[in-house]
Amino acid sequence: MSSSTSSPSPPSDACAALAARIGVADASLLRDEGFIADAWTRAELGDGGGATFDVVNPATGETLVSVAKLGAAETRAAIDAAAAALPSWSATTAIVRAQALRRWGDLVNAHASDLARIMCAEQGAFCCTLVPTRPRRRGERRSLRTFPGASLRPHLAFNPRPRRLSTPTDAFQLHPDVRGLGKPLAEARGEVAYASSFIDWFADEGRRTYGEVIPTHDANARVFALRQPIGVCAAITPWNFPLAMITRKAAAALAAGCVVVVKPSEETPLSALALAELAARAGIPRGVLGFVMGDANAIGEAMTGSEIVRKLSFTGSTAVGKKLMRDCAGTVKRTSMELGGCAPFLVFQDANIDEAVKGAMGSKFRNAGQTCVSSQRYIVHEDVIDEFGAKFAAAARKLVVGDGLRGKTDQGPLINARALAKVEAHVADALSKGAKVLCGGHRVTENGCDKGVFYAPTVLANVPRDASLFREEVFGPVAALTSFADERDAIALANDTTAGLAAYVYTNDNARVWRVSEKLEYGMVGANTGVVSAASAPFGGVKESGTGREGGKHGIEEYLEVKHLSVGGVGR
Ligand code: NAP
């Protein structure tokens, strides 16, 4: 199987124009077609018939580019291409597969800046123009970056290091048509690093998929357990981590010797397609990694109904996960389900409250609260709830929503109007049941946020336990506080949900850390930390938050079958 690296193919005119607009230096990373059998593909094969869909910047409502809308026929073609690639990819050594993965990971790192910009654009990014207020003075340095294709006006799009501008602040002002603010670039860059960490991790893990020699039951036989790649896999991923949710699956699958067809979210196909372009450049062979996007239902049914696909890995909402599990039953596929959460955050009376607030801030407001491990239900001991609530609200109030130009955008928009409506409904429900606003509780429309879907960082106190915020995932920047008096009550309340993804505990009592962590019905527990994810650790939920684990040494097991081999007639 050839694994030579390849040079970039030119982007479409629309993608080249978008690259100039959003400041992506390597325009070939922007693609508007699916990637099937090593070729960029439009919907000519059947159902789509050349259809496209628009990718929209949720900060501005602006259409970034139209992308090929693929369907069942293209998905089947990608599956067939993957099946054709499987025999030789699974037969290559783990070392060769690791080398290909490393080249991919290196390219992801090398293009971190462009990938972050693409991610910002489709998840909602600041795209603005600065206009000079006066002529340049003698000797004055203006270091605003001008991107190719931008107007002659100094143009600052997704400025990666706003604080390092040496331009005098009175030399420019925002152009009056400044539109939209977005996901902070620092967060996007963090996700690029997070995404490449999975490629790096699984490149190594692929070399450690050991089998076993089992003490024999028959002196004339020898018994073994072999670990073999499952085969053709399908992956369906969400928009909230548009790179990492793909690499966490695809890198594990490829390292194990499997081949994969990925369906990214229609909200964020551009990040996914940039990964496809880099995989091609890295020499991942034809058909090993395919990308189709468009009609989610048709693509999903082509994947789940296929007898060729032996495994489906899904990250997304619990409702869609349940449907896909049902659909996979028809062909008895293996599934991994990384579904929604509704994370409790327990603060005991002996906790370091400042540390707890720090942990709460990170876990709550990252990605505007749109992470599956985002804490939501703050269960705080009655002796410290007032102090915790006041400090948490004070910190949340300081978050800057929007304005990336000030170099201090802490929180960007929600992904779309539906997400905003959901957040507003949860807050209204809590308020109608007696909750009190400590901060936020409203949409943000100032500072150029009027065209986007922004919601203020929100902390609500006295939230009754029958409020929807204590039952369902809000997926937005809203924290709901309630008090407890007794450890058992706190644990019972934390477990009183169908979700079981992540939970957090703050206490300075070491015995309590163990006692409470063991009783929490969650796949992941952060004790005195608001962060529970790393490439080296297993990630996943229990109950309706899913099945299977990604990351860590467990992540690759999801793509391996265990085969029992008995060799008879060996003699004594
Ligand atoms: P979603 O609506 O379930 O979408 C996830 C993916 O499923 C998208 O690619 C979507 O495609 C696709 N999809 C939707 N309906 C489908 C169908 N009928 N058949 C096949 N595919 C279908 O979830 P989301 O809004 O993107 O993501 C947010 C959810 O994901 C939250 O609940 C969050 O907690 C969860 N999540 C979980 C984890 C984890 O590791 N546990 C990580 C991140 C997010 P389109 O976008 O093209 O419609």
Side-chain angles (χ1 to χ4, degrees), residues 53 194 235-241 245 248-249 263-269 292-301 303-304 312 314-321 323-324 327 337-342 369-374 415-416 418 422 473 475 501-502 524 539-541 545-546 550:
F53 65 95
Y194 182 53
I236 301 180
T237 57
W239 50 265
N240 65 338
F241 289 97
M245 296 302 101
R248 200 162 76 171
K249 299 179 191 307
K263 191 213 93 62
S265 168
E266 67 173 351
E267 312 278 0
T268 53
V292 288
M293 65 280 154
D295 183 335
N297 213 32
I299 294 171
E301 284 178 3
M303 288 174 161
T304 54
L312 173 75
F314 172 72
T315 298
S317 61
T318 303
V320 173
K323 176 195 186 296
L324 294 172
D327 292 352
M337 293 284 149
E338 299 287 343
L339 309 178
C342 188
Q370 301 170 114
T371 74
C372 52
V373 292
S374 181
I415 188 68
N416 54 32
R418 256 181 300 127
K422 184 172 160 199
E473 186 182 41
F475 226 54
L501 192 59
M524 295 169 282
F539 190 104
S545 286
E550 293 190 323

Side-chain angles (χ1 to χ4, degrees), residues 346-352 356 487 504-517 526-529:
L346 279 64
V347 183
F348 286 90
Q349 60 275 36
D350 51 30
N352 178 327
E487 183 178 300
Y504 305 88
V505 187
Y506 273 78
T507 172
N508 273 339
D509 178 341
N510 201 26
R512 198 195 310 264
V513 166
W514 286 100
R515 200 166 57 235
V516 174
S517 300
N528 295 320
T529 173

